[in-house]
């Protein structure tokens, strides 16, 4: 469902079956990247399927960064917007931050675009829903900071009409630099300020959304 590699110091295989915070058993790695790994997990109390993102960076010795993460995660969890995936839980386990979100049935915008070019009306409908989600996020003084087609999810609903869900927020995540290149796998969606080391904000999301719209059309 969203989309990053296992920690450099911990193999993906060794994480499977592990119980996070005594509550979430990791069943399958869904993807990964520079920031951490994303897993299908099962909640111990009721066997509910969830998505658990485990960030690589150890924040056990950084009280300021940990506090900022907890504030952002709590704010995200408090957002009740139909186009933002619900954050069900969050915390720090063995020094590593994690976010737990709702399990969704559907496909990413990236998967949809690989199959066929989107009609104009469909592209505009998707963009409108992303804009509604971002307006809610930005009004809460947050920014997504990781916007790309793989984190725009098209949820299949029983009524037959899809609904856009914005996934995979990047709470206080530092960009990873390798030989002057940002290793986030985001390609054309990376705003110029990330390349110069400037902080990302709502304007960065608007830039990335423009790139997504251009690609859809």
């Amino acid at each position: 469902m969203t989309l990053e590699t296992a920690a450099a110091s911990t193999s993906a295989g060794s994480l499977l079956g592990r119980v996070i915070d005594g509550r979430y058993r990791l069943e399958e790695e869904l993807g990964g990247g520079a920031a951490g790994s994303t897993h299908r997990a099962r909640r111990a109390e009721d066997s509910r399927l969830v998505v658990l993102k485990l960030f690589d960076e150890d924040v056990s010795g950084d009280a300021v960064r940990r506090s900022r993460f907890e504030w952002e995660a709590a704010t995200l969890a408090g957002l009740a917007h139909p186009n933002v995936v619900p954050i069900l839980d969050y915390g720090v386990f063995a020094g590593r931050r994690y976010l737990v979100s709702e399990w969704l049935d559907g496909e990413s915008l990236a998967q949809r675009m690989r199959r066929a070019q989107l009609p104009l009306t469909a592209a505009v409908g998707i963009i409108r829903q992303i804009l509604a989600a971002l307006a809610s996020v930005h009004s809460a003084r947050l920014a997504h900071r990781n916007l790309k087609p793989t984190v725009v999810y098209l949820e299949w609903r029983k009524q037959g009409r899809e609904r856009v869900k914005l996934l995979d927020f990047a709470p206080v995540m530092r960009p990873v630099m390798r030989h002057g290149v940002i290793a986030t796998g985001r390609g054309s969606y990376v705003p110029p300020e990330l390349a110069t080391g400037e902080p990302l904000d709502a304007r960065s999301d608007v830039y990335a959304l423009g790139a997504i719209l251009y690609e859809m059309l």
Side-chain angles (χ1 to χ4, degrees):
M1 203 140 337
T2 57
L3 305 107
E4 311 203 277
T5 56
S9 59
T10 310
S11 70
S14 67
L15 288 172
L16 299 185
R18 189 165 185 183
V19 179
I20 304 298
D21 252 1
R23 291 179 289 170
Y24 304 102
R25 182 177 297 277
L26 304 183
E27 294 188 343
E28 178 188 0
E29 185 183 10
L30 301 172
S37 52
T38 304
H39 302 263
R40 184 187 72 200
R42 198 169 291 275
R43 193 163 64 181
E45 64 187 68
D46 56 7
S47 295
R48 177 181 178 179
L49 279 178
V50 296
V51 175
L52 187 147
K53 181 164 185 176
L54 190 62
F55 294 87
D56 288 349
E57 185 182 15
D58 189 333
V59 296
S60 53
D62 191 335
V64 173
R65 202 161 175 76
R66 180 168 175 162
S67 175
R68 175 69 183 182
F69 164 73
E70 291 173 349
W71 177 82
E72 289 202 4
T75 303
L76 280 174
L79 287 179
H81 193 279
N83 298 120
V84 177
V85 65
I87 300 298
L88 305 176
D89 197 7
Y90 59 91
V92 178
F93 176 73
R96 295 169 64 185
R97 302 165 295 163
Y98 70 86
L99 287 175
V100 179
S101 60
E102 186 179 69
W103 178 268
L104 301 173
D105 291 319
E107 64 179 346
S108 71
L109 178 59
Q111 291 171 312
R112 176 65 56 81
M113 289 195 297
R114 278 197 291 269
R115 289 209 314 269
Q117 184 175 358
L118 287 164
L120 177 61
T121 52
V124 170
I126 289 170
I127 287 295
R128 283 182 181 276
Q129 292 185 67
I130 300 173
L131 283 168
L134 288 177
S136 175
V137 171
H138 294 165
S139 67
R141 296 187 297 122
L142 293 174
H144 188 283
R145 299 193 293 254
N146 193 31
L147 198 57
K148 52 191 174 181
T150 53
V151 306
V152 176
Y153 207 75
L154 307 177
E155 181 189 18
W156 299 329
R157 305 175 72 197
K158 292 181 180 178
Q159 300 91 329
R161 188 176 181 183
E162 292 177 331
R163 179 164 61 189
V164 170
K165 290 280 192 178
L166 203 54
L167 315 173
D168 203 19
F169 290 78
V172 290
M173 185 180 74
R174 292 191 183 103
V176 177
M177 301 292 291
R178 294 181 188 153
H179 306 296
V181 177
I182 299 163
T184 62
R186 292 173 58 195
S188 303
Y189 319 107
V190 176
E193 57 268 27
L194 188 54
T196 58
E198 297 174 57
L200 305 185
D201 57 24
R203 293 168 296 180
S204 310
D205 291 341
V206 174
Y207 180 97
L209 185 59
I212 292 172
L213 177 60
Y214 180 85
E215 185 176 1
M216 283 198 294
L217 299 179

